[in-house]
Amino acid sequence: MTVGPDFKEPARYRPDLVIGRDELFTAAQDQLARGGSVLLHGPAGIGKSTVLRALAADYGEAARTVLRCSATESESHLPFLALADLFGLVLDEISDKLPAAQRTALESALTGRGESTLQRDGLALRLAVLSALRALAAEGPVLLVADDLQWLDSASAELLGFAARRLGDTPVQLLCAVRTEDQEYDRHLRASPPDTLAVRLNPLSRAQVSALLDHRGYTDLPRSTVREIHRTSGGNPLFALELGRALGESPTPPRPGEPLPVPTSLRALVLSRLDMLSDEARRTLLVASAGARPTLALLHASGRENAEAETAQAAALGLLATESEGPAVRFAHPLISAALYAEAPAQERRAAHAALSTAASDPIERARNLALATTGTDPEVAARLAEAAALARDRGAPSVAASLGLLAARHTPPDGAPGPDEHRLRAAEDAITAGEVDLGRDIAREVLTRATVPADRIRAWEVVIEAAGQALGDVDAVFPQALADAGDDPRLLALVHYHLAWRKLIVEGDFSEARQEAAHAAELAARGDDRRTELMALSFQSSTETLMGHPNAPATIKRALKEPQDPYVACHHNGVGAARFRWLMMSDQLPEARSTITTLLREVRRRGMVESEVHFQRFLAETELRSGHCGRALDLARESLRLARDSGIGLGASAMLTSLAEASGGDVDRALALAREAAERAEEDGDQMYLSRALAALGHARFVAGDAAGAVASLRRVRELETGLRITDPARGRWHGDLAEALVRVGEPGEAQDVIDVAREHALRLGRESVLAVLDRAEALVRAALGDHEAALSRLTSVQDRLAKLGYGLEEARAAFALARLRTERPGPTSYDEAARLFRRCRAMPWLRQVDAAIAAGAPETITLPQQTAPPSDALEGLASMERQVAALVMEGATNREIAARLFISVKTVEATLTRVYRKLGIRSRVDIVRLAAGRHAK
């Protein structure tokens, strides 16, 4: 039974829409499944009610009775109101089960008749609430859902606290939310059952705020604006949505240096406290809000003589942080600073900036404040801003440089030299470097509306193309216009043909044509004495030749490495350093590859080159993965993906690599999801090059999951794509061994041998030793499938040794595992020791679980038959990751204790997880899970 009528939650509260709360949501679900209670707490607007309702909707079905109340501040003075909300509709059901005195006291409190009070009927009321909950629980589990506990009337709070502390083993659970600041939830926790889990909701990350805004329809906001929303909101979902709404309703977006429009709904949260400040204290806080890093010394230098007393007054009102963290003056929440600044008249803002333009010690800050204090054009101000932008660029802060460049353009007279558009173009290029592609593209498009100089137009077209990322098909119309603007100037033509080379590769998937375009671009750049473009074109040409297995690749790399070099190209993700890294990786020189990419990553971070950082972080993860350092690779890959999601750059590539890392050292279900995401993104972008990589990752994840047929389907498509792309180097994707082994498992050893033979021919030609070793491992399994076990065992022993010498730790462990599985004698507990040791050294958890499963099976694998070590994905559709893992182990026959040991969780957690699995699958027991699996296999 559910109480009351409005409990059915709308779709927006479904658990899959609780953005950025996955881990805490799962923890709360597990706590409820174990029979415990949950107390959600955090500041106003942080999303407590959303999570509360999602949990109630998800878990409420398991309870027979759901009691619900939601208090408000305006009603908190009314005694017993929350009690009436909770028990009003069930009073008839339980009243005859209560002793007469308790029934009378409770009815009086709920109906308002008889003027019941805690003073007069205290004991009877307390016992009545406890008895009522026990009576309801006697018929089935009870869930009590209470939102905004801080507004609960004191009488109801006292009665519920009394009962909660005495429920014991009675199946009554509390799911509550309370508004708190910092960790001030102890009082509410003391009034909860002893087993209550306190869950604090923390601010959302920038990527989570972006996802939230997208979900609510604010999809056209530039990433720079989203970044500012995140900063101003402090990661608070309510504040972020209100700021997004205000921007959506604003006819013009704020210009650089201008504050976000703070809606009245948010200003009201802080303006009442601001009104309590003296006028002088308010002016002091305005100066602090206008400064980038305000300190007491800066406020004094800006003419605020009584800064100490005035900031102390603000701190007492909760406007400034009170903890001592050095000399900084810090607002208690960024929204306070934004609201204060937005509320101030324009004249007062300019006065604050004017004071800071002379008081600030940093030249960048002085220039920025000078610009914001000045109206109209001013060549001297523009020059100061241009100098500050150059300084910010040198400091590795291209985002700041872009903002300063736009301010410089605003203050440059139309006939200035350099002109306004020169500043805008430089700002657009800085924005691209900083990963703010939306801002860079918008600036470039604006310049193109009026620019007539060919060089300016080509620079603008370059920004537009760069902003498209992998989706070059979206800007197809740009290339004819850019070629027309370039005319017969070899420098300008070189730039256009360099980007045409990328289009040939990504959109058309033609490596040969892409290589020729890159070579032509390098020739044009050399003729036009443009060394930077020449080096970029040579780097692209060498990378393409490397992936093709072209014999000229080493010579082209040497040309790209010749002096003079360009520092920008040397560390660019498409530059010569990256090309050399790819060559080292494909040539099995892992230590040198790691050293190279580590140096490059350090340099691009120093320069603030966000796109290059995303790619180099991924490259470093790939290096660690090849070396068998799966835990380290997983950490790096996840960080690369986080950065990619945050910046909107390289998402498909990062998802692809993270899928490989998850399949090797993390969660196989997550690996499958990421590989599908990468493939879908590549297909949406029309990116032929990364589509094959994403499908290879999907095939690998399916193989690790035990879905050999699915792996074959994915990897056959990879083979078709790469044949069409004329990619012949098997070290590019390293999928051939997985395909061959999967083919053996599905009973196709002949096709497996064909895959091995073709790949081996190219690997021998190119000297790819690690690829040859992996192919030999796959061929050993082919031979075993054909009955030649002795030859298979001999070859696997050799392969393991070769891979160990090359430094491919995970591949070495896989060879040891294959060797153990092919022993002709019945394996005992120790026959898998070597494989387990090597997988453990690699932190390859999915593979370790396969070893455990093989040991538990207690018999050698019959590899001539298709085998599936994990349940089909459709049998477990809709289950969470932990639920799928537990269900899979149940299907293998593992006991709850064995499952707990393998997954490093408690037996109670296993039991609670199984309870959720039964509910979601509509079954009753472990036997039903096994039957479900058997039914799926029979199809």
Side-chain angles (χ1 to χ4, degrees):
M1 180 181 71
T2 296
V3 182
D6 60 338
F7 182 74
K8 288 291 183 182
E9 303 298 343
R12 67 177 179 275
Y13 291 121
R14 290 202 313 271
D16 59 326
L17 298 185
V18 181
I19 293 170
R21 307 299 190 190
D22 296 344
E23 289 187 13
L24 66 86
F25 192 85
T26 300
Q29 279 183 316
D30 290 344
Q31 171 73 358
L32 291 169
R34 287 192 293 267
S37 297
V38 174
L39 176 67
L40 305 170
H41 65 99
I46 204 67
K48 301 181 298 298
S49 296
T50 300
V51 175
L52 180 90
R53 295 184 184 188
L55 284 167
D58 181 66
Y59 187 71
E61 298 172 5
R64 177 189 177 271
T65 304
V66 178
L67 307 175
R68 185 168 181 264
C69 71
S70 183
T72 62
E73 184 178 12
S74 62
E75 298 171 341
S76 61
H77 65 287
L78 300 174
F80 306 123
L81 183 61
L83 204 66
D85 287 342
L86 292 169
F87 293 104
L89 296 180
V90 295
L91 183 60
D92 292 341
E93 178 185 348
I94 59 174
S95 60
D96 61 347
K97 300 175 184 177
L98 303 180
Q102 294 179 22
R103 181 172 62 249
T104 300
L106 184 61
E107 288 177 347
S108 177
L110 297 185
T111 62
R113 296 191 295 270
E115 298 182 357
S116 179
T117 66
L118 272 182
Q119 274 190 326
R120 191 177 69 189
D121 304 315
L123 180 59
L125 273 173
R126 288 173 172 84
L127 294 175
V129 172
L130 181 59
S131 299
L133 290 172
R134 285 173 174 166
L136 290 169
E139 302 297 324
V142 176
L143 178 66
L144 191 155
V145 182
D147 198 3
D148 282 320
L149 280 185
Q150 75 277 1
W151 304 132
L152 220 63
D153 64 274
S154 58
S156 296
E158 165 64 24
L159 293 171
L160 289 175
F162 175 87
R165 291 189 295 271
R166 291 165 175 79
L167 285 169
D169 295 331
T170 306
V172 176
Q173 296 169 263
L174 272 65
L175 173 58
C176 306
V178 61
R179 181 188 301 179
T180 58
E181 297 296 336
D182 300 320
Q183 299 292 321
E184 299 170 0
Y185 60 93
D186 291 351
R187 175 170 59 88
H188 301 283
L189 194 58
R190 286 194 296 271
S192 302
D195 63 347
T196 299
L197 173 69
V199 178
R200 179 169 178 80
L201 275 70
N202 291 313
L204 300 181
S205 68
R206 190 195 308 180
Q208 291 163 349
V209 166
S210 178
L212 178 66
L213 291 167
D214 286 345
H215 175 66
R216 294 300 178 91
Y218 306 117
T219 55
D220 297 327
L221 299 174
R223 290 192 175 271
S224 55
T225 302
V226 173
R227 181 188 64 191
E228 190 62 19
I229 289 176
H230 177 257
R231 188 196 67 79
T232 303
S233 68
N236 185 296
L238 173 64
F239 298 171
L241 288 172
E242 285 295 293
L243 290 167
R245 181 183 60 78
L247 281 166
E249 295 173 354
S250 176
T252 56
R255 296 187 298 180
E258 291 182 343
L260 291 177
V262 180
T264 305
S265 59
L266 294 185
R267 293 190 196 188
L269 293 175
V270 296
L271 289 182
S272 58
R273 282 184 285 174
L274 288 173
D275 289 341
M276 299 172 69
L277 288 172
S278 66
D279 291 343
E280 289 302 311
R282 188 162 179 155
R283 292 191 186 96
T284 294
L285 287 197
L286 177 59
V287 174
S289 70
R293 293 176 296 276
T295 63
L296 286 173
L298 179 64
L299 293 176
H300 278 298
S302 302
R304 308 311 303 165
E305 297 177 356
N306 298 316
E308 284 91 348
E310 289 158 356
T311 55
Q313 181 188 359
L317 292 171
L319 296 168
L320 296 179
T322 55
E323 64 269 19
S324 56
E325 296 181 356
V329 174
R330 188 168 66 84
F331 284 89
H333 193 282
L335 183 63
I336 298 172
S337 173
L340 173 67
Y341 190 92
E343 189 73 9
Q347 185 177 355
E348 289 187 16
R349 289 188 209 165
R350 287 196 295 271
H353 287 297
L356 289 167
S357 69
T358 57
S361 59
D362 185 82
I364 292 177
E365 273 304 290
R366 288 200 299 270
R368 184 183 75 88
N369 281 289
L370 178 61
L372 296 174
T374 306
T375 58
T377 60
D378 187 320
E380 184 178 345
V381 172
R384 289 268 301 275
L385 287 163
E387 291 171 3
L391 181 58
R393 206 172 295 121
D394 290 342
R395 289 181 180 177
S399 178
V400 175
S403 176
L404 293 167
L406 289 175
L407 286 171
R410 188 197 307 177
H411 290 286
T412 300
D415 57 350
D421 280 347
E422 170 63 26
H423 292 302
R424 291 189 181 95
L425 285 170
R426 195 67 181 95
E429 292 161 351
D430 285 329
I432 292 292
T433 301
E436 298 180 6
V437 293
D438 296 337
L439 177 61
R441 182 197 58 230
D442 292 347
I443 297 170
R445 289 285 189 188
E446 180 193 350
V447 170
L448 283 166
T449 60
R450 55 178 172 270
T452 56
V453 178
D456 289 347
R457 292 187 63 80
I458 294 299
R459 282 178 70 184
W461 287 129
E462 265 206 294
V463 170
V464 172
I465 295 169
E466 290 279 357
Q470 299 296 110
L472 286 178
D474 294 347
V475 291
D476 262 349
V478 165
F479 293 101
Q481 298 177 65
L483 283 171
D485 285 334
D488 56 1
D489 187 327
R491 290 175 64 93
L492 301 182
L493 284 169
L495 289 167
V496 180
H497 281 281
Y498 169 71
H499 290 291
L500 277 169
W502 277 104
R503 185 192 172 280
K504 290 287 185 183
L505 180 63
I506 292 174
V507 179
E508 298 181 17
D510 194 325
F511 273 70
S512 180
E513 286 289 328
R515 173 181 174 272
Q516 291 178 29
E517 280 285 2
H520 183 43
E523 178 188 344
L524 286 167
R527 199 191 315 161
D529 197 26
D530 181 357
R531 183 61 174 165
R532 173 173 291 189
T533 303
E534 181 186 9
L535 287 171
M536 291 294 289
L538 287 171
S539 300
F540 176 83
Q541 182 184 342
S542 67
S543 294
T544 306
E545 290 172 349
T546 298
L547 296 174
M548 293 172 66
H550 196 284
N552 288 0
T556 307
I557 289 177
K558 286 182 180 178
R559 287 178 61 198
L561 287 169
K562 283 183 179 179
E563 296 292 340
Q565 285 293 313
D566 182 291
Y568 173 81
V569 177
C571 64
H572 192 275
H573 59 278
N574 289 324
V576 64
R580 182 170 177 271
F581 164 78
R582 292 187 187 95
W583 173 260
L584 291 168
M585 283 288 288
M586 296 176 76
S587 302
D588 299 323
Q589 300 179 58
L590 295 181
E592 193 171 351
R594 182 186 292 106
S595 174
T596 298
I597 200 62
T598 301
T599 301
L600 288 170
L601 182 58
R602 187 183 305 117
E603 178 62 16
V604 297
R605 282 174 173 165
R606 186 187 71 79
R607 289 171 169 263
M609 298 170 67
V610 173
E611 184 172 7
S612 294
E613 181 182 356
V614 171
H615 291 295
F616 290 162
Q617 183 93 0
R618 187 180 81 251
F619 290 169
L620 182 56
E622 183 178 2
T623 308
E624 299 295 350
L625 191 58
R626 297 286 175 228
S627 302
H629 304 151
C630 299
R632 169 75 172 149
L634 184 58
D635 290 342
L636 289 166
R638 286 174 174 172
E639 175 61 21
S640 171
L641 184 59
R642 184 202 64 75
L643 187 59
R645 293 200 193 286
D646 196 28
S647 63
I649 294 171
L651 269 170
S654 292
M656 175 273 299
L657 197 279
T658 308
S659 170
L660 292 172
E662 291 283 359
S664 298
D667 184 297
V668 179
D669 292 320
R670 191 177 294 126
L672 290 164
L674 287 168
R676 292 188 183 101
E677 176 189 339
E680 290 168 4
R681 187 172 294 277
E683 289 192 297
E684 287 174 6
D685 290 344
D687 183 350
Q688 297 297 307
M689 184 174 66
Y690 264 109
L691 178 58
S692 66
R693 295 293 306 273
L695 290 172
L698 180 58
H700 179 72
R702 283 174 166 170
F703 182 77
V704 176
D707 181 7
V712 167
S714 296
L715 296 175
R716 277 175 174 163
R717 190 177 173 199
V718 175
R719 181 176 57 185
E720 293 171 4
L721 283 169
E722 295 205 350
T723 299
L725 291 169
R726 300 180 188 177
I727 297 173
T728 60
D729 193 335
R732 188 244 180 181
R734 297 177 181 266
W735 49 266
H736 310 77
D738 282 346
L739 176 55
E741 291 188 34
L743 285 166
V744 170
R745 287 178 179 248
V746 299
E748 296 287 351
E751 185 182 347
Q753 188 64 55
D754 290 341
V755 171
I756 292 167
D757 291 342
V758 172
R760 179 180 283 134
E761 178 184 352
H762 294 298
L764 284 168
R765 174 174 60 86
L766 297 166
R768 304 301 191 225
E769 292 296 329
S770 63
V771 174
L772 288 168
V774 169
L775 292 173
D776 284 351
R777 183 183 69 206
E779 188 170 47
L781 299 180
V782 173
R783 292 192 179 188
L786 298 175
D788 192 354
H789 281 254
E790 289 303 320
L793 290 169
S794 174
R795 176 158 298 196
L796 282 173
T797 302
S798 169
V799 164
Q800 183 181 343
D801 183 59
R802 287 157 58 196
L803 288 167
K805 289 178 180 177
L806 289 167
Y808 284 76
L810 182 58
E811 299 295 352
E812 175 195 358
R814 287 182 61 178
F817 189 27
L819 189 61
R821 295 172 107 167
L822 288 181
R823 299 290 185 190
T824 54
E825 71 275 15
R826 185 177 180 84
T830 61
S831 61
Y832 289 96
D833 284 355
E834 175 70 359
R837 180 184 69 81
L838 292 172
F839 282 134
R840 195 172 292 111
R841 183 183 69 182
C842 295
R843 288 177 59 191
M845 302 311 297
W847 290 100
L848 265 175
R849 285 191 279 273
Q850 288 197 31
V851 173
D852 289 341
I855 292 172
E861 178 189 21
T862 306
I863 62 172
T864 53
L865 296 176
Q867 182 180 7
Q868 192 154 7
T869 61
S873 58
D874 59 346
L876 306 181
E877 194 70 34
L879 297 185
S881 173
M882 178 62 72
E883 294 165 354
R884 280 194 291 270
Q885 292 181 60
V886 170
L889 291 171
V890 168
M891 290 176 182
E892 294 175 12
T895 66
N896 285 3
R897 190 171 297 281
E898 289 170 339
I899 294 171
R902 291 192 202 178
L903 300 181
F904 304 102
I905 57 179
S906 69
V907 174
K908 281 191 173 182
T909 301
V910 174
E911 294 169 350
T913 304
L914 279 174
T915 300
R916 294 200 304 275
V917 169
Y918 298 156
R919 185 174 74 248
K920 290 184 177 181
L921 295 182
I923 58 179
R924 298 181 180 180
S925 68
R926 298 167 61 91
V927 175
D928 291 332
I929 294 182
V930 177
R931 286 174 179 164
L932 178 63
R936 299 287 183 174
H937 282 295
K939 289 183 179 180

